[in-house]
Amino acid sequence: MRPPPDSIAIRGGTDEWTYRQLHRASGEYAGALAAAGLSPGDRVLLAAPSVPEFVVAYLGIQAAGCVVVPVNTMSTRAEVESVLGDAACSLAIAWHVLGSAVAEAATALDVPFWTLTPGASVTGATPADVVDRDRDETAAILYTSGTTGRPKGAQLTVGTLLSAGEIGAERSRASSADRIGTGLPLFHVFGQASVLMGSAYTIPRIVRFVDALPKGPTGKILKRAVDRSVLTRDIALGDVAAGRR
């Protein structure tokens, strides 16, 4: 069953996004990336907390056929420089209140920098068509914490994220009436694989990404999650804390 386009897809704080708004915003973000000269396969660093705009940028990057490289929002300039260089990123994007680490690292390596602002608006962007990819193509690169040495980039394929989404949806045993809360950061592998990707397989679901804790794929996923309006699950920390879910 497909939820109505004007039903709520994401709730974050007091903000609400409908499926129609999420679809258009993600498509426009993909269009802006293409207009800026990015091509399928280019790597894009993304530093943002668990806010709705993270989802828009994440899906937009994937829709453009690019590879998303999420980083911890508490990363230092040196850490961001290391990831930008190692992943050979073509663009760096950071949430507007994170500080200067990402911008300074991007400037030092001559990598273009964008600020992700509330609403994830991109001026004059035209929604782009989704770039579809094979299951063995890289969809995301996530870096290890570096506790035992220099952080290493783990390449996650389209198939990996699709499988993670299938497993997450199956194991959750959620019904269409459920609203499930999480404190997991979306820049972390579990937040992406279990929460975001798993939600793409749960029909229909409301999503609410709440940045309530300390700061800290692909064309196929977007087609399933946005074009067909089958995203996602609700993040309602209050319900979880109160034992209502």
Side-chain angles (χ1 to χ4, degrees):
M1 178 179 177
R2 181 183 301 180
D6 292 318
S7 61
I8 302 302
I10 302 177
R11 289 175 178 165
T14 58
D15 296 332
E16 293 185 344
W17 293 57
T18 65
Y19 287 99
R20 190 190 305 278
Q21 291 171 325
L22 177 60
H23 185 182
R24 182 170 184 82
S26 299
E28 289 179 346
Y29 214 86
L33 293 170
L38 273 76
S39 302
D42 286 344
R43 281 84 181 274
V44 180
L45 182 140
L46 176 60
S50 296
V51 293
E53 288 80 1
F54 179 102
V55 183
V56 173
Y58 189 94
L59 294 179
I61 293 168
Q62 299 290 0
C66 297
V67 178
V68 63
V69 185
V71 296
N72 193 314
T73 55
M74 297 180 68
S75 296
T76 64
R77 171 179 168 173
E79 290 169 335
V80 176
E81 280 192 34
S82 176
V83 172
L84 283 173
D86 187 69
C89 292
S90 300
L91 175 67
I93 302 171
W95 185 236
H96 67 114
V97 295
L98 286 189
S100 61
V102 177
E104 291 176 356
T107 298
L109 297 181
D110 198 26
V111 173
F113 171 78
W114 289 7
T115 299
L116 181 61
T117 57
S121 59
V122 279
T123 305
T126 301
D129 293 331
V130 174
V131 175
D132 209 354
R133 286 177 281 180
D134 295 330
R135 291 183 67 93
D136 60 352
E137 293 185 58
T138 300
I141 301 176
L142 276 67
Y143 278 77
T144 61
S145 62
T147 54
T148 60
R150 184 176 179 179
K152 301 174 179 63
Q155 298 190 41
L156 305 184
T157 65
V158 173
T160 297
L161 291 179
L162 286 171
S163 295
E166 292 174 329
I167 295 170
E170 178 183 352
R171 297 299 297 172
S172 71
R173 299 180 181 178
S175 73
S176 60
D178 288 325
R179 297 181 179 183
I180 303 172
T182 185
L184 294 169
L186 294 181
F187 59 73
H188 188 272
V189 62
F190 203 80
Q192 288 171 58
S194 182
V195 177
L196 185 55
M197 294 302 101
S199 297
Y201 281 84
T202 310
I203 308 172
R205 192 72 73 246
I206 299 172
V207 188
R208 178 180 179 181
F209 295 110
V210 182
D211 183 30
L213 298 183
K215 299 291 182 183
T218 73
K220 291 181 180 178
I221 283 291
L222 184 66
K223 281 184 176 180
R224 184 180 295 270
V226 180
D227 285 343
R228 294 172 55 193
S229 295
V230 297
L231 193 72
T232 82
R233 65 170 52 176
D234 195 30
I235 310 286
L237 294 179
D239 283 350
V240 175
R244 292 192 291 266
R245 298 293 177 193

